[in-house]
Amino acid sequence: MTISVAGFEDFSAAEAAWWRLLNDQQRLDYRGPDSELRTQNNSERVTRFLESRIRQGRLILARCEGELVGICTISPDGFLLDSTVQVWEIADVWVEPHARRKGVATAMIKHCEHECNMRGASEVRLAVYALNEAGLGLYQSLGYEVGAYTLKKNLNPTG
Ligand SMILES: CC(C)(COP(=O)(O)OP(=O)(O)OC[C@H]1O[C@@H](n2cnc3c(N)ncnc32)[C@H](O)[C@@H]1OP(=O)(O)O)[C@@H](O)C(=O)NCCC(=O)NCCS
């Protein structure tokens, strides 16, 4: 397995994986039918997003025998003030279903931690849905601990 920072030659494979991630996330964070996700507007947004991540060297890929099997992103967090603690965020973690439970995500996250550290971070943070057992298991196995809760409330209950 190789883990690397994506280049523009990786765009097509990364984009395809990205849509699989977005569709899969619907299990835990429903935003409407799959068919309505991949509109032209949304496709253009995803393209711009991925291009900017690649340009900034913030899209990380895992490959096995040349095949892309995992993606994730790293970003500096948006803390407004000068601070002595530099925090980066890891997000958009996706491993292709056939490549799971083989250590791909573990290798990607460790690579991300190293990249963030090299870019000045002394701490990394990430978010995971409360019902995402695989994600929770992954991050627990890597020593992550709870730092915050996000809360939600449905404003249009259907009865
Ligand atoms: C979560 C995900 C990234 C894990 O990828 P992976 O490559 O299979 O993870 P690893 O093989 O590195 O697993 C490392 C450890 O995480 C835990 N883990 C992974 N998948 C798990 C699962 N389905 N249930 C419980 N624990 C799990 C285990 O402790 C595992 O170690 P083990 O295999 O020795 O038991 C993958 O299942 C995935 O892409 N899911 C859909 C997207 C997603 O949920 N992303 C995370 C969003 S925050």
Side-chain angles (χ1 to χ4, degrees), residues 42-114:
N42 287 345
S43 296
E44 285 169 7
R45 282 183 197 138
V46 166
T47 297
R48 280 199 300 274
F49 175 82
L50 288 175
E51 283 178 348
S52 84
R53 290 299 178 275
I54 291 174
R55 200 175 306 114
Q56 294 160 354
R58 297 205 270 113
L59 179 65
I60 310 297
L61 304 181
R63 289 187 179 278
C64 274
E65 294 169 3
E67 180 200 359
L68 188 148
V69 291
I71 56 174
C72 62
T73 61
I74 53 174
S75 308
D77 87 334
F79 193 65
L80 182 66
L81 307 178
D82 285 337
S83 68
T84 51
V85 179
Q86 296 296 313
V87 177
W88 276 54
E89 289 169 352
I90 298 172
D92 313 310
V93 179
W94 169 255
V95 173
E96 297 296 346
H98 70 83
R100 290 181 187 170
R101 299 308 283 262
K102 295 175 182 164
V104 174
T106 299
M108 277 200 305
I109 299 293
K110 286 184 175 170
H111 190 96
C112 286
E113 291 170 356
H114 179 72

Coordinates of all heavy atoms in Angstrom, one line a residue, residues 42-114:
N42 N -24.0 20.7 -8.0 CA -23.2 20.0 -7.0 C -21.9 19.4 -7.6 O -20.9 19.4 -6.9 CB -24.1 18.9 -6.4 CG -25.1 19.5 -5.4 OD1 -25.0 20.6 -5.0 ND2 -26.1 18.7 -5.1
S43 N -22.0 18.9 -8.8 CA -20.9 18.4 -9.5 C -19.8 19.4 -9.6 O -18.6 19.2 -9.4 CB -21.2 17.8 -10.9 OG -22.1 16.7 -10.7
E44 N -20.2 20.6 -10.0 CA -19.2 21.7 -10.1 C -18.6 22.1 -8.8 O -17.4 22.4 -8.7 CB -19.9 23.0 -10.8 CG -20.2 22.8 -12.3 CD -21.1 23.8 -12.9 OE1 -21.4 24.8 -12.1 OE2 -21.5 23.7 -14.0
R45 N -19.4 22.1 -7.7 CA -18.9 22.4 -6.4 C -17.9 21.3 -6.0 O -16.8 21.7 -5.4 CB -20.0 22.4 -5.4 CG -20.8 23.6 -5.4 CD -21.9 23.6 -4.3 NE -22.8 24.7 -4.6 CZ -24.1 24.6 -4.5 NH1 -24.6 23.5 -4.0 NH2 -24.9 25.5 -4.9
V46 N -18.2 20.1 -6.2 CA -17.3 19.0 -5.9 C -16.0 19.2 -6.6 O -14.9 19.0 -6.1 CB -17.9 17.6 -6.1 CG1 -16.9 16.5 -6.0 CG2 -19.0 17.3 -5.1
T47 N -16.1 19.5 -7.9 CA -14.9 19.7 -8.7 C -14.0 20.8 -8.2 O -12.8 20.6 -8.0 CB -15.3 20.0 -10.2 OG1 -16.0 18.9 -10.7 CG2 -14.1 20.3 -11.1
R48 N -14.7 21.9 -7.9 CA -13.9 23.1 -7.3 C -13.2 22.7 -6.0 O -12.1 23.0 -5.7 CB -14.8 24.3 -7.1 CG -15.1 25.0 -8.4 CD -15.6 26.4 -8.1 NE -16.8 26.4 -7.4 CZ -18.0 26.4 -7.9 NH1 -18.1 26.3 -9.3 NH2 -19.1 26.4 -7.2
F49 N -14.0 22.0 -5.2 CA -13.5 21.6 -3.8 C -12.3 20.7 -4.0 O -11.2 20.9 -3.4 CB -14.6 20.9 -3.1 CG -14.2 20.3 -1.7 CD1 -14.1 21.1 -0.6 CD2 -13.8 19.0 -1.6 CE1 -13.7 20.6 0.6 CE2 -13.4 18.4 -0.4 CZ -13.3 19.2 0.7
L50 N -12.4 19.7 -4.8 CA -11.3 18.7 -5.0 C -10.1 19.4 -5.6 O -8.9 19.2 -5.2 CB -11.7 17.5 -5.8 CG -12.7 16.6 -5.1 CD1 -13.1 15.4 -6.0 CD2 -12.0 16.0 -3.8
E51 N -10.3 20.3 -6.6 CA -9.2 21.0 -7.2 C -8.5 21.8 -6.2 O -7.3 21.9 -6.2 CB -9.7 21.8 -8.4 CG -10.0 21.0 -9.6 CD -10.6 21.8 -10.8 OE1 -11.0 23.0 -10.6 OE2 -10.7 21.3 -11.9
S52 N -9.2 22.5 -5.4 CA -8.5 23.4 -4.4 C -7.8 22.5 -3.4 O -6.6 22.9 -3.0 CB -9.5 24.3 -3.7 OG -10.1 23.6 -2.6
R53 N -8.3 21.4 -3.0 CA -7.6 20.5 -2.0 C -6.3 20.0 -2.7 O -5.3 19.9 -2.1 CB -8.4 19.3 -1.6 CG -9.6 19.7 -0.7 CD -9.1 20.3 0.6 NE -10.1 20.8 1.5 CZ -10.8 21.9 1.4 NH1 -10.5 22.8 0.5 NH2 -11.7 22.2 2.3
I54 N -6.4 19.6 -4.0 CA -5.2 19.1 -4.7 C -4.2 20.2 -4.8 O -3.0 20.0 -4.5 CB -5.6 18.5 -6.1 CG1 -6.4 17.3 -5.9 CG2 -4.3 18.2 -6.9 CD1 -7.0 16.7 -7.2
R55 N -4.6 21.4 -5.2 CA -3.7 22.5 -5.4 C -3.0 22.8 -4.1 O -1.8 23.2 -4.1 CB -4.5 23.8 -5.8 CG -3.7 24.9 -6.5 CD -4.6 26.0 -7.0 NE -5.6 25.6 -7.9 CZ -6.9 25.7 -7.6 NH1 -7.4 26.2 -6.5 NH2 -7.8 25.3 -8.5
Q56 N -3.7 22.7 -2.9 CA -3.1 23.0 -1.6 C -2.4 21.8 -1.0 O -1.9 21.9 0.1 CB -4.1 23.5 -0.7 CG -4.7 24.9 -1.2 CD -6.1 25.2 -0.6 OE1 -6.7 24.3 0.1 NE2 -6.6 26.4 -0.8
G57 N -2.3 20.7 -1.7 CA -1.7 19.5 -1.2 C -2.4 18.9 0.0 O -1.7 18.4 0.9
R58 N -3.7 19.0 0.0 CA -4.5 18.6 1.2 C -5.4 17.4 0.9 O -6.3 17.2 1.7 CB -5.2 19.8 1.8 CG -4.2 20.9 2.2 CD -4.8 21.8 3.3 NE -5.5 22.9 2.7 CZ -6.8 23.1 2.8 NH1 -7.6 22.3 3.4 NH2 -7.3 24.2 2.3
L59 N -5.3 16.8 -0.2 CA -6.0 15.5 -0.5 C -5.0 14.4 -0.4 O -4.0 14.4 -1.1 CB -6.7 15.6 -1.9 CG -7.5 14.4 -2.3 CD1 -8.7 14.2 -1.4 CD2 -7.9 14.6 -3.8
I60 N -5.3 13.4 0.4 CA -4.5 12.3 0.7 C -5.1 11.0 0.1 O -6.3 10.8 0.3 CB -4.2 12.1 2.2 CG1 -3.8 13.4 2.9 CG2 -3.2 11.0 2.5 CD1 -2.6 14.0 2.5
L61 N -4.3 10.2 -0.6 CA -4.8 9.0 -1.2 C -4.1 7.8 -0.7 O -2.9 7.8 -0.4 CB -4.6 9.1 -2.7 CG -5.1 10.3 -3.5 CD1 -4.8 10.1 -5.0 CD2 -6.6 10.4 -3.3
A62 N -4.8 6.7 -0.7 CA -4.2 5.4 -0.5 C -4.4 4.5 -1.7 O -5.5 4.5 -2.3 CB -4.9 4.7 0.7
R63 N -3.3 3.9 -2.2 CA -3.4 3.0 -3.3 C -2.8 1.6 -3.0 O -1.9 1.5 -2.2 CB -2.5 3.6 -4.5 CG -3.1 4.8 -5.1 CD -2.3 5.2 -6.3 NE -2.9 6.4 -7.0 CZ -3.9 6.4 -7.8 NH1 -4.5 5.2 -8.1 NH2 -4.4 7.5 -8.3
C64 N -3.5 0.6 -3.5 CA -3.0 -0.8 -3.4 C -2.8 -1.3 -4.8 O -3.8 -1.3 -5.6 CB -4.0 -1.7 -2.7 SG -3.8 -1.6 -0.9
E65 N -1.6 -1.7 -5.2 CA -1.2 -2.1 -6.5 C -1.8 -1.2 -7.6 O -2.4 -1.6 -8.6 CB -1.8 -3.5 -6.8 CG -1.1 -4.6 -5.8 CD -1.7 -5.9 -5.9 OE1 -2.7 -6.1 -6.6 OE2 -1.3 -6.8 -5.1
G66 N -1.6 0.1 -7.3 CA -2.0 1.1 -8.3 C -3.5 1.6 -8.2 O -3.8 2.6 -8.7
E67 N -4.3 0.8 -7.6 CA -5.7 1.1 -7.5 C -6.0 2.0 -6.3 O -5.5 1.8 -5.2 CB -6.5 -0.2 -7.3 CG -8.0 0.1 -7.2 CD -8.8 -1.1 -6.6 OE1 -8.1 -2.1 -6.3 OE2 -10.0 -1.0 -6.4
L68 N -6.8 3.1 -6.5 CA -7.1 4.0 -5.4 C -8.1 3.3 -4.5 O -9.2 2.9 -4.9 CB -7.7 5.3 -6.0 CG -7.9 6.4 -4.9 CD1 -7.8 7.7 -5.6 CD2 -9.3 6.3 -4.3
V69 N -7.7 3.1 -3.2 CA -8.6 2.4 -2.3 C -9.1 3.3 -1.1 O -9.9 2.9 -0.3 CB -8.0 1.1 -1.7 CG1 -7.8 0.1 -2.8 CG2 -6.6 1.4 -1.1
G70 N -8.5 4.5 -1.0 CA -8.9 5.4 0.1 C -8.6 6.8 -0.2 O -7.6 7.1 -0.9
I71 N -9.4 7.7 0.4 CA -9.1 9.2 0.3 C -9.4 9.8 1.7 O -10.2 9.3 2.5 CB -10.0 9.9 -0.7 CG1 -11.5 9.6 -0.4 CG2 -9.7 9.4 -2.1 CD1 -12.5 10.4 -1.3
C72 N -8.8 11.0 1.9 CA -9.2 11.8 3.0 C -8.6 13.2 2.8 O -7.7 13.4 1.9 CB -8.8 11.2 4.4 SG -7.1 11.0 4.6
T73 N -9.0 14.2 3.6 CA -8.5 15.5 3.5 C -7.9 16.0 4.8 O -8.3 15.5 5.9 CB -9.5 16.5 3.0 OG1 -10.6 16.6 4.0 CG2 -10.1 16.2 1.6
I74 N -7.0 17.0 4.7 CA -6.5 17.7 5.9 C -6.7 19.2 5.7 O -6.5 19.7 4.5 CB -5.1 17.3 6.2 CG1 -4.1 17.6 5.0 CG2 -4.9 15.9 6.7 CD1 -2.6 17.4 5.3
S75 N -7.0 19.9 6.7 CA -7.2 21.4 6.6 C -6.8 22.0 8.0 O -7.1 21.5 9.0 CB -8.6 21.7 6.4 OG -9.1 21.0 5.3
P76 N -6.2 23.3 7.9 CA -6.1 24.0 9.2 C -7.4 24.4 9.7 O -8.3 24.7 8.9 CB -5.3 25.2 8.7 CG -5.4 25.4 7.3 CD -5.8 24.0 6.7
D77 N -7.6 24.4 11.0 CA -9.0 24.7 11.5 C -9.1 26.2 11.5 O -8.2 27.0 11.2 CB -9.2 24.1 12.9 CG -8.7 25.0 14.0 OD1 -7.7 25.8 13.8 OD2 -9.2 24.9 15.1
G78 N -10.4 26.7 11.6 CA -10.7 28.1 11.3 C -10.6 29.0 12.6 O -11.2 30.0 12.6
F79 N -9.7 28.6 13.6 CA -9.7 29.4 14.8 C -9.2 30.8 14.4 O -8.1 31.0 13.7 CB -8.7 28.7 15.8 CG -8.8 29.3 17.2 CD1 -9.9 29.2 17.9 CD2 -7.7 29.9 17.7 CE1 -10.0 29.7 19.2 CE2 -7.7 30.5 19.0 CZ -8.9 30.3 19.7
L80 N -9.9 31.8 14.9 CA -9.7 33.2 14.5 C -8.4 33.8 15.1 O -7.7 34.6 14.4 CB -10.9 34.0 14.9 CG -10.9 35.5 14.6 CD1 -11.0 35.7 13.1 CD2 -12.1 36.2 15.3
L81 N -8.1 33.5 16.3 CA -7.0 34.2 17.0 C -5.7 33.6 16.9 O -5.5 32.4 16.6 CB -7.4 34.3 18.5 CG -8.8 34.8 18.8 CD1 -9.1 34.7 20.3 CD2 -9.0 36.2 18.3
D82 N -4.6 34.4 17.1 CA -3.3 33.9 17.2 C -3.3 32.9 18.4 O -3.9 33.2 19.5 CB -2.3 35.0 17.5 CG -2.0 35.8 16.3 OD1 -2.2 35.2 15.2 OD2 -1.5 36.9 16.4
S83 N -2.6 31.8 18.3 CA -2.6 30.9 19.4 C -1.3 30.0 19.3 O -0.7 29.9 18.3 CB -3.8 29.9 19.4 OG -3.7 29.0 18.3
T84 N -0.9 29.5 20.5 CA 0.3 28.7 20.5 C 0.0 27.3 20.1 O 0.9 26.5 19.7 CB 0.9 28.7 21.9 OG1 -0.2 28.3 22.8 CG2 1.4 30.0 22.3
V85 N -1.3 26.8 20.1 CA -1.6 25.5 19.7 C -2.2 25.6 18.3 O -3.2 26.2 18.0 CB -2.7 24.9 20.6 CG1 -3.1 23.5 20.2 CG2 -2.2 24.9 22.0
Q86 N -1.5 25.0 17.3 CA -2.0 24.9 15.9 C -2.8 23.6 15.7 O -2.3 22.5 15.9 CB -0.8 24.9 15.0 CG 0.0 26.2 15.0 CD -0.8 27.4 14.6 OE1 -1.4 27.4 13.6 NE2 -0.7 28.5 15.4
V87 N -4.0 23.8 15.3 CA -4.9 22.6 15.1 C -5.2 22.5 13.7 O -5.6 23.4 13.0 CB -6.2 22.8 15.9 CG1 -7.2 21.7 15.7 CG2 -5.9 23.0 17.4
W88 N -5.1 21.2 13.2 CA -5.6 20.9 11.8 C -6.7 19.8 12.0 O -6.8 19.2 13.0 CB -4.4 20.3 11.0 CG -3.6 21.4 10.4 CD1 -3.0 22.5 11.0 CD2 -3.3 21.6 9.0 NE1 -2.3 23.3 10.1 CE2 -2.5 22.7 8.8 CE3 -3.6 20.8 7.8 CZ2 -2.0 23.2 7.6 CZ3 -3.1 21.3 6.6 CH2 -2.3 22.4 6.5
E89 N -7.5 19.8 10.9 CA -8.6 18.8 10.9 C -8.4 17.8 9.8 O -7.9 18.1 8.7 CB -9.9 19.6 10.7 CG -10.3 20.4 11.9 CD -11.4 21.4 11.6 OE1 -11.8 21.5 10.4 OE2 -11.9 22.0 12.6
I90 N -8.8 16.6 10.2 CA -8.8 15.5 9.2 C -10.3 15.2 8.9 O -11.1 15.2 9.8 CB -8.2 14.2 9.8 CG1 -6.7 14.4 10.2 CG2 -8.3 13.0 8.9 CD1 -6.0 13.3 10.9
A91 N -10.6 15.1 7.6 CA -12.0 14.9 7.3 C -12.1 14.0 6.0 O -11.1 13.7 5.4 CB -12.7 16.2 7.0
D92 N -13.4 13.7 5.7 CA -13.7 13.0 4.4 C -13.0 11.7 4.2 O -12.5 11.4 3.1 CB -13.4 14.0 3.2 CG -13.9 15.4 3.5 OD1 -15.1 15.5 3.8 OD2 -13.1 16.4 3.4
V93 N -12.9 11.0 5.3 CA -12.2 9.7 5.3 C -13.1 8.6 4.6 O -14.2 8.3 5.1 CB -11.8 9.3 6.7 CG1 -11.1 7.9 6.7 CG2 -11.0 10.4 7.4
W94 N -12.5 8.0 3.6 CA -13.3 7.0 2.8 C -12.4 5.9 2.4 O -11.3 6.1 1.8 CB -13.9 7.6 1.6 CG -14.5 6.6 0.6 CD1 -13.9 6.3 -0.6 CD2 -15.7 5.9 0.7 NE1 -14.7 5.3 -1.2 CE2 -15.8 5.1 -0.4 CE3 -16.7 5.8 1.7 CZ2 -16.9 4.2 -0.7 CZ3 -17.8 5.0 1.5 CH2 -17.9 4.2 0.3
V95 N -12.7 4.6 2.7 CA -12.0 3.4 2.2 C -13.0 2.6 1.3 O -14.2 2.4 1.8 CB -11.4 2.6 3.3 CG1 -10.8 1.3 2.8 CG2 -10.4 3.4 4.1
E96 N -12.6 2.2 0.2 CA -13.5 1.4 -0.7 C -13.9 0.1 0.1 O -13.1 -0.5 0.7 CB -12.8 1.0 -2.0 CG -12.4 2.2 -2.9 CD -13.6 3.0 -3.4 OE1 -14.8 2.5 -3.3 OE2 -13.4 4.1 -3.9
P97 N -15.2 -0.2 0.0 CA -15.7 -1.4 0.8 C -14.8 -2.6 0.6 O -14.6 -3.3 1.6 CB -17.1 -1.6 0.2 CG -17.5 -0.2 -0.2 CD -16.3 0.5 -0.8
H98 N -14.4 -3.0 -0.6 CA -13.6 -4.2 -0.7 C -12.2 -4.2 -0.1 O -11.6 -5.2 0.1 CB -13.5 -4.6 -2.2 CG -12.6 -3.6 -3.0 ND1 -11.2 -3.8 -3.0 CD2 -12.8 -2.5 -3.7 CE1 -10.7 -2.8 -3.7 NE2 -11.6 -2.1 -4.2
A99 N -11.8 -2.9 0.3 CA -10.4 -2.8 0.9 C -10.5 -2.6 2.4 O -9.5 -2.3 3.0 CB -9.7 -1.7 0.2
R100 N -11.6 -2.7 3.0 CA -11.8 -2.4 4.4 C -11.2 -3.5 5.3 O -11.1 -4.7 4.9 CB -13.2 -2.1 4.8 CG -13.7 -0.8 4.2 CD -15.1 -0.4 4.5 NE -15.4 0.8 3.7 CZ -16.6 1.3 3.5 NH1 -17.7 0.7 4.1 NH2 -16.9 2.3 2.8
R101 N -10.9 -3.2 6.6 CA -10.4 -4.0 7.6 C -9.0 -4.6 7.2 O -8.7 -5.7 7.6 CB -11.4 -5.2 8.0 CG -12.7 -4.7 8.5 CD -12.6 -3.7 9.7 NE -12.3 -4.3 11.0 CZ -13.2 -4.5 11.9 NH1 -14.5 -4.4 11.7 NH2 -12.8 -5.0 13.1
K102 N -8.3 -3.8 6.4 CA -6.9 -4.2 6.1 C -5.9 -3.2 6.5 O -4.8 -3.2 6.0 CB -6.9 -4.5 4.6 CG -7.7 -5.6 4.1 CD -7.7 -5.7 2.5 CE -8.6 -6.9 2.1 NZ -8.9 -6.8 0.6
G103 N -6.4 -2.2 7.3 CA -5.4 -1.2 7.8 C -5.3 0.0 6.9 O -4.4 0.8 7.1
V104 N -6.1 0.1 5.8 CA -5.9 1.3 4.9 C -6.2 2.6 5.6 O -5.4 3.5 5.6 CB -6.9 1.1 3.7 CG1 -6.8 2.4 2.8 CG2 -6.5 -0.1 2.9
A105 N -7.3 2.7 6.3 CA -7.7 3.9 7.0 C -6.6 4.2 8.1 O -6.2 5.4 8.3 CB -9.1 3.9 7.7
T106 N -6.2 3.2 8.8 CA -5.2 3.4 9.8 C -3.9 4.1 9.2 O -3.4 5.0 9.8 CB -4.8 2.1 10.5 OG1 -6.0 1.6 11.1 CG2 -3.7 2.2 11.6
A107 N -3.5 3.5 8.1 CA -2.3 4.1 7.5 C -2.5 5.5 7.0 O -1.7 6.4 7.1 CB -1.9 3.2 6.3
M108 N -3.7 5.7 6.4 CA -4.0 7.1 5.9 C -4.0 8.1 7.1 O -3.5 9.2 7.0 CB -5.4 7.2 5.2 CG -5.4 6.7 3.8 SD -6.8 7.3 2.9 CE -8.2 6.7 3.8
I109 N -4.7 7.8 8.2 CA -4.8 8.7 9.3 C -3.4 9.0 9.9 O -3.1 10.1 10.2 CB -5.7 8.2 10.4 CG1 -7.2 8.0 9.8 CG2 -5.8 9.1 11.6 CD1 -7.9 9.2 9.4
K110 N -2.6 7.9 10.0 CA -1.2 8.2 10.5 C -0.4 9.1 9.6 O 0.3 10.0 10.0 CB -0.5 6.8 10.7 CG -1.0 6.1 11.9 CD -0.3 4.8 12.2 CE -0.8 4.1 13.4 NZ -0.2 2.8 13.6
H111 N -0.6 8.9 8.3 CA 0.0 9.7 7.3 C -0.5 11.2 7.5 O 0.3 12.1 7.4 CB -0.2 9.2 5.9 CG 0.6 9.9 4.8 ND1 1.8 9.4 4.4 CD2 0.4 11.1 4.2 CE1 2.3 10.2 3.5 NE2 1.5 11.2 3.3
C112 N -1.8 11.3 7.6 CA -2.4 12.7 7.8 C -1.8 13.3 9.0 O -1.5 14.5 9.0 CB -3.9 12.6 7.9 SG -4.7 12.2 6.4
E113 N -1.7 12.6 10.1 CA -1.2 13.2 11.4 C 0.3 13.7 11.1 O 0.6 14.8 11.6 CB -1.2 12.1 12.5 CG -2.6 11.7 12.9 CD -2.5 10.5 13.8 OE1 -1.5 9.9 14.1 OE2 -3.6 10.1 14.3
H114 N 1.1 12.9 10.4 CA 2.4 13.3 10.1 C 2.4 14.5 9.2 O 3.2 15.5 9.5 CB 3.2 12.1 9.4 CG 4.6 12.4 9.1 ND1 5.6 12.6 10.0 CD2 5.1 12.7 7.8 CE1 6.7 12.9 9.4 NE2 6.5 13.0 8.1

